[in-house]
Amino acid sequence: DVKTGDDVEATVVDLENENGEVELSFRFAGHRKAWDHLLELFRVGTIVEAKVLEASKGGLLIRLENVAGFLPVSQLSPDNYPRVAGGDKSKILEKLKTFIGTVMEVKIIDVNENEEKLIVSEKVVWEERQKNVISKFKIGDVIEGEVSALADFGAFVKFDILEGLVHISEIAWQRIDHPRDIMKVGDKVKAEIIGIDGSKVFLSMKKLIQDPWKSVGDRYRVGQVVKGKVLKANPFGFFVELDPEIHGLAHISELSKKPVQNMTDIAKVGDELDFMIVSLEPEQHRLGLSLKAMEEKDKPAEEKKEEKA
């Protein structure tokens, strides 16, 4: 679009070329001007729009001020961060490809013309906009929100325009393998704010539920025989459900008087067995169970006398 008479900027690349002429470059001049502008945007902290050109497993290739840059996955806002179960890289890439052609509001977080490095962040913009909203909340506040995503380590809950994390250990008093055992995306839940770290909000659902372990002594005692359902088998023993709120552990050393080579020979997940309670620690939320003690209990009196002798 350049025409005769236009005022333009150019960079001198050769004082005298093979034709004896001063050689100029529009591209070099534009390149320098673009990087100078990017540096100024970085210094001021201006929010700018960047177009997404391509996607890779590590993030998005963007264009800003006609300069190619990079937006790492870790710098995406919570709304756009690809929450993929197990961190499957191919599924992450599929999610990132959906952003190709879109325009994102970002801030420059690193710029270096010599290295031709331009790194931008969408998360920083998101965090800046959350500050005023987060200031309205404090630790101890109870919020009501909607489950927006589930991960192995917990559940994300949206409330107001914020999003908080309920760690798996803060979902329920009983042991759970995955948040989906308790909830699903879209569920309405209540939670208490237990931590605020910058733009990160940490929540607890179980703090709003009475701790069943406080009254565990009213239902269970050491020496009591109870029926339990095997929930999970680990190398160190069985996790056993006595009721929906109280789970116990039958340590491998308490499964049999004989050395245990294969725990599946004793029980499988889903089996219901009689156990004896051998320890009870309400404050630590621990209850120990034993099958070995049941073997001893069920022995005929004569056999016990012989062993004692």
Side-chain angles (χ1 to χ4, degrees), residues 129-273:
R129 288 173 175 165
Q130 308 309 300
K131 287 179 182 177
N132 291 334
V133 181
I134 287 179
S135 65
K136 297 189 301 184
F137 296 93
K138 63 183 183 301
I139 293 173
D141 285 351
V142 175
I143 61 92
E144 187 168 353
E146 182 178 303
V147 177
S148 54
L150 300 176
D152 296 342
F153 53 83
F156 292 92
V157 177
K158 278 192 174 181
F159 63 100
D160 205 311
I161 64 168
L162 305 173
E163 188 174 54
L165 171 66
V166 187
H167 190 268
I168 190 168
S169 63
E170 292 294 333
I171 291 176
W173 288 106
Q174 72 270 29
R175 180 188 174 279
I176 59 174
D177 290 325
H178 196 282
R180 62 171 169 261
D181 298 341
I182 301 290
M183 64 186 79
K184 62 183 184 298
V185 172
D187 282 355
K188 303 289 185 184
V189 298
K190 285 185 178 181
E192 182 177 318
I193 297 176
I194 58 173
I196 298 175
D197 181 9
S199 63
K200 297 176 183 177
V201 180
F202 301 97
L203 306 168
S204 172
M205 290 170 59
K206 76 178 187 184
K207 285 198 77 174
L208 301 181
I209 306 168
Q210 185 176 357
D211 183 356
W213 287 87
K214 288 183 178 179
S215 59
V216 70
D218 297 337
R219 288 173 284 171
Y220 303 109
R221 65 184 186 279
V222 174
Q224 181 182 354
V225 175
V226 292
K227 188 171 288 294
K229 181 180 179 181
V230 177
L231 294 179
K232 188 172 184 179
N234 276 337
F236 51 82
F238 293 130
F239 284 105
V240 180
E241 179 186 81
L242 302 189
D243 62 49
E245 296 178 323
I246 302 298
H247 296 172
L249 171 68
H251 192 269
I252 189 168
S253 63
E254 292 292 338
L255 297 183
S256 177
K257 291 188 70 175
K258 300 175 182 177
V260 177
Q261 302 297 329
N262 189 347
M263 294 206 309
T264 56
D265 293 339
I266 295 173
K268 302 184 295 295
V269 173
D271 286 354
E272 291 192 2
L273 302 169

Side-chain angles (χ1 to χ4, degrees), residues 267-285:
K268 302 184 295 295
V269 173
D271 286 354
E272 291 192 2
L273 302 169
D274 286 333
F275 296 87
M276 182 179 289
I277 298 175
V278 292
S279 64
L280 184 56
E281 301 171 84
E283 291 183 2
Q284 284 73 40
H285 292 181

